[in-house]
Amino acid sequence: FIYREVNMKKLLEKEAAWLAGFIDGDGYFTCAVWERIAKKSKVPSVTIAPRIGVTQAENERRVLDYIVDLTGIGKVYIKQELSNSLTSQNQGMWIVSKLEDILELCNVLHPFMLLKKRQCEIMSQLTTHRMNTVISRGERSNFRRTPIEDTLYCAELGLSLNPNATAGRNSQHNSEKRTWEYWKKRIPEIYAEASNMIQERTESKRIMLKCNACGTDFERLKCNVREGTKHNFCSIDCGNAFKRGE
């Protein structure tokens, strides 16, 4: 388990208690799960994005800015309201999205949470597992290298936070509800589709060569064959034998 540096400031007990109460009232623990298609490769994948946030009216943004100054994590966003109602106003949102910051925040808030204590526990469990399975494989998340069991487990945990949530903004079907029953079937299909596409592209890039040492026909990726190469060998042993004149 590789734990990256956490930017969160150390809170006093009364500050942590105040923030826990504020999130209990006006905050939320949520996780978006959606399918995305890579722009270049067109390979499908699944994105799991946990979030902790607080929503306030735009004229109360100073409260959100205070939370940022207090914790040192998260960002404040303004959501533009499109309603024509005279009483409608823009919404300000403080959102924490980095896994390590979410986990640290959950650890600090948990002793003081009341209404959303169980959600805090689920979020902590989700981010801990996600960091163990994704961050340990490198700084950037790689969907194809993440075992399907881990993706299913994290999706189930995340969707238990907000079982009635709609699809993510990048989904092809934003109007449909995406429940755990849907993703339990869809995630294996996405893995299979991605694997098939990659395999087909890999096969199309292979060429047949003849080993200059033993005469055996063998396959190799085009990208691994240098232009102008006079000799090709099916193995290192054949190459060494050819050099020795055997």
Side-chain angles (χ1 to χ4, degrees), residues 95-111:
I95 297 177
V96 182
S97 57
K98 290 184 178 180
L99 292 178
E100 60 272 25
D101 291 341
I102 291 175
L103 180 57
E104 183 67 17
L105 183 59
C106 286
N107 292 336
V108 171
L109 297 179
H110 183 264

Side-chain angles (χ1 to χ4, degrees), residues 56-58 61 64 76-80 90-93:
Q56 291 285 288
E58 186 181 14
R61 175 171 177 165
L64 303 178
V76 174
Y77 301 89
I78 301 298
K79 181 180 179 181
Q80 301 291 332
N90 296 336
Q91 295 291 315
M93 299 177 292

